[in-house]
Amino acid sequence: MAKKYVYPVRNKKVSTGKGISNGVYFFGGQKADGNESMKNLLGGKGANLAQMAGHKDLRLPVPPGFTLTTEVCIYYYKNRKTYPKGLKEEAGKALERVEELMDRKFGDPQNPLLVSVRSGARRSMPGMMETVLNIGLTEKTIPGLIKQSGGNSRFVYDAYRRLIMMYSDVVMEKAAGIEPKDDVSGIRKQLEKLMNQMKKAKGYSSDTDLTAKDLKELCALFKAKIKEVLKKDFPDEPNEQLWGGIGAVFASWNGKRAISYRRIEGIPDEWGTAVTVQTMVFGNMGGGCATGVAFTRNPGNGENEFYGEYLINAQGEDVVAGIRTPAPINEYSKSEHNKDLVTLEKAMPKIYQELFGFQARLEKHYRDMQDIEFTIEKGRLFMLQCRVGKRNGPAAVRMAIDMLKEKLIKKEEAVMRLGPGQLDELLHPIIDPKIELAHKPLTKGLPAGPGGATGQIVFSAGDAVEWVKQGNKVILVREETNPEDVEGMRAASAILTARGGMTSHAALVARGWGKCCIVGCSGLHVDAIKKELLVDGKVLKEGDWITLNGTKGNVYEGKLPMMDASEENEILTNFLKICASLKRLGVRTNADTPEDARRGRQFGAEGIGLFRTEHMFYGKGSDEALFLLRKMIVSKTEDERKKALDELFPYVKKDFKGTLEAMDGLPVVIRLLDPPLHEFVPRDPDKLAQLAQDLDITLDELSSRAENLHESNPMMGHRGVRLGVTYPEVSAMQIRAVFEAAAELIQEGKSPYPEIMIPVVCEVKELNDQLVITKKVYQEVLSKYNIKKIKHMFGTMIEIPRASIVADKLAQVAEFFSFGTNDMTQMGFGFSRDDIGSFLPEYIKKGILPEDPFGTIDQEGIGELIKIGIQRGRKTAKDLEVGICGEHGGDPRSVEFCHRVDMDYVSCSPFRVPIAILAAAQAVLKEKKK
Ligand code: ADP
Ligand code: MG
Ligand code: MG
């Protein structure tokens, strides 16, 4: 006779001694063998279940169970899918303890215990591996479960059909390595088809219309189909189901989608997954039952409000799968989409209060936002999972700042809470708000990932990957998201789905990546086969442009313009201030215009690390200056050239002045003209003719002069300091422009601080040559303006390997070094940056190089050259200022390297400044940890 269902059993004595093979960790009845710190062994899920169940501050109602460790998984793969000796016995013992706590027996016809078999790696891989529910339900145990449920045979047959569907799909097909030939021939799809046929035949509109009798019939049909398709019987023996399930979850570690997710996230293949076997609790037993997912704070914007969704009378998988629209747990969680559904707070006020208390305790305990899964079985609340919740960048910054204010964390922790990529998200574009106002959304959905995105519609993950490879920007539009889509989701600029809630898989993954995403857009009708989208009475086709506002959930037709959202973001500014207070490394910006300078400064840049003089000859409004420069370039005599330079001078001075003024009080490294001159020779016949006329020479003469400038390898040709050595008047003009601009600013009461930088230097005598010019011009400007001093420095770029080697000599003349790591990488490797496309991808694929050395500094080689340069330079001049101005200055790992080799500052484009500041602060904290 079945005993009464009791849980949790507080008075029962259960030993917590460890078993024999150490591959099994028990939890339940307020005790646990494991704890949160054992993620490597128990996986994130197993470790947190143990913590929730056993930690003295928590002891939450967690259905009892046990976890097989990741070591078992590793063993399993190494030993042709077998288990360590003694493991099965140990698992059997753990199962007995569960049975004892639950007063039920696995496989018992009278009073059966049912379990789930759940996956869980060290790091969460949402939806990428398998879970099988309702294990232990067989023809023999069905009557026992009916009895336990108080005679609810509909529930039991529904549970049985779910088991058959899940088990045949996960264990009998996927884990057995059977690849269905297309989308519709997988066993699960075939069973779904049978179910739909039955619903249609009976005139039902929803799954819930199916009666107990229908479901019983369906289970029989399912089994026959399985036999027909997979040529095997569905196992009706509880232990066979259990071990089949365990093996299948281990096998799912090497499933296709798990592998692609690991590749994207950089999770090592060797980690393996743990498996948790846990007592089933049922959110689908009828009234007073529900299941849900919630966050201790809003993961979309970071607000400190309990946020979540739930489904009445459903099993956990239904929420995540996005099959029904979930209801909000409270008023705060309401959206346009679900505002008419009853909240959990209203439907089950007591349970809601209990859940609210648990979430508060969990957050306090973990000191971070938690993502929790819960199930309510006949008015009893059970906690099924908790983990640190994924959040997008804006939410992450807000939570870090709030938790610091709440004294939940210290400022060091707040700084470590953000990934560089998350910060990057805050700097991402949004739809230009003025233009957005003028457009009516086609439709609305749930705002699952913030920011704006525009792209061309594609309907499959494969197409997304293909189109992006071809250089397109796409938005992946799906009926519902599916973990198999990860690569396409990654490639797409944004994701849009017709179904699913804020806690659906798509929303979760997009949030983790900080990708613009809208889910549950029920106004969309997606026909992936016809590659069409019906919305608002319109048909959109593959390749049509749409624009998403992921912050509001609005979908627009066409291509709306984007703009930058980072200005005047107070929370971001605050966060960066905290980072700045911890870092040692200076952060400057690369800027060629006063606007760039201002933006960088606003983000916290402490100066300009690279101002490129030549930039004034490119782009908008540069026509006049460019013309004069060309005139200078094709000048033949020194007189001709001097005349052209005189005309050019006011433009250059004005440009320098604007930037020095924007950076008032802060250092500005101004690099003298760097590129090979022939880059500026006009090719357009009209321009050539005009130039010839102005110079009063024939077109032929002009062509021949231009011809003379041609070089076979201009990157290593007549450029940088070599121009200054051969045409001293070119350097003199620029240096004069710097000093005069500074002198005028001084007279206007400002404090300019130029640092004159000579590029492409490999020999100290080159520097001496330019220093003589600098000193002479300096004196001339001082007397012209009648001032005593202009604060400035004279220094060099270190970008040729030889320069690093002779850095001790260079430092006799240079007051500062700035490592130009782009060219240093180019010349150090002998890789032309413009030509690496033909071989570098192959190098990376074959593992010859770990990554693109132009993206992250190659510490082994180029890094060594940098270290030599710094050491030798500082040996000569202890106070030598050292920085970096290559693009690496905005790459977090390169920033950490610069910190370690004791540079004074890094410099990067304005939008990378916040990331560099964060990386510089984190470098200090990581160093302390060691
Ligand atoms: P994932 O890692 O993909 O989230 P889970 O192991 O958390 O997979 O399981 C998926 C869903 O199945 C969960 O949302 C949970 O609600 C449900 N589930 C798992 N185990 C149980 C159980 N023992 N009782 C009730 N529901 C369960
Ligand atoms: Mg889960
Ligand atoms: Mg260079």
Side-chain angles (χ1 to χ4, degrees), residues 547-622:
T547 302
L548 308 189
N549 178 337
T551 313
K552 288 192 195 149
N554 292 350
V555 182
Y556 299 93
E557 192 178 2
K559 192 176 172 182
L560 267 49
M562 299 286 144
M563 64 166 268
D564 140 45
S566 52
E567 287 184 36
E568 284 161 39
N569 181 338
E570 203 183 315
I571 298 176
L572 175 65
T573 314
N574 260 337
F575 181 78
L576 291 175
K577 270 192 195 135
I578 295 168
C579 293
S581 74
L582 294 171
K583 73 182 176 57
R584 197 166 71 221
L585 193 64
V587 175
R588 297 190 187 180
T589 187
N590 295 350
D592 300 316
T593 62
E595 296 88 83
D596 276 359
R598 268 191 290 275
R599 192 190 307 280
R601 188 167 193 172
Q602 188 188 4
F603 285 144
E606 299 149 295
I608 290 181
L610 179 64
F611 174 95
R612 298 170 300 167
T613 302
E614 61 271 17
H615 195 85
M616 62 178 287
F617 304 113
Y618 303 113
K620 248 191 352 219
S622 62

Side-chain angles (χ1 to χ4, degrees), residues 45 118 373 385 387:
K45 197 181 289 165
R118 315 176 67 186
E373 291 178 5
Q385 189 171 334
R387 63 184 160 196

Side-chain angles (χ1 to χ4, degrees), residues 87-211:
L87 180 94
K88 284 203 174 181
E89 291 71 18
E90 201 190 345
K93 280 200 179 135
L95 189 59
E96 275 170 30
R97 286 169 67 184
V98 175
E99 291 172 337
E100 206 181 320
L101 274 173
M102 296 302 299
D103 264 334
R104 292 176 180 174
K105 254 186 149 33
F106 190 63
D108 187 281
Q110 297 298 318
N111 187 23
L113 174 79
L114 262 52
V115 295
S116 64
V117 175
R118 315 176 67 186
S119 54
R122 280 192 207 182
R123 246 163 58 195
S124 143
M125 297 167 55
M128 297 300 141
M129 287 183 295
E130 305 294 351
T131 288
V132 189
L133 306 179
N134 305 341
I135 281 189
L137 195 52
T138 64
E139 295 290 357
K140 282 209 193 86
T141 57
I142 281 175
L145 188 66
I146 295 179
K147 215 182 299 169
Q148 276 174 18
S149 68
N152 189 344
S153 54
R154 192 203 172 275
F155 150 72
V156 176
Y157 281 104
D158 188 49
Y160 196 41
R161 71 97 191 152
R162 285 173 192 259
L163 169 68
I164 299 174
M165 274 178 139
M166 241 185 275
Y167 195 91
S168 59
D169 174 36
V170 173
V171 187
M172 301 176 74
E173 188 173 87
K174 284 206 182 90
I178 299 169
E179 289 252 359
K181 62 176 192 302
D182 55 43
D183 254 14
V184 288
S185 57
I187 187 69
R188 189 164 194 139
K189 283 271 148 69
Q190 299 211 37
L191 299 185
E192 273 167 9
K193 199 168 142 198
L194 285 177
M195 190 157 132
N196 286 333
Q197 277 167 356
M198 174 174 278
K199 273 160 63 184
K200 208 163 170 196
K202 309 228 167 192
Y204 300 155
S205 61
S206 140
D207 292 4
T208 46
D209 296 335
L210 292 161
T211 64

Side-chain angles (χ1 to χ4, degrees), residues 383-394:
M383 303 301 283
L384 285 176
Q385 189 171 334
C386 78
R387 63 184 160 196
V388 171
K390 290 211 170 25
R391 63 206 74 179
N392 59 45

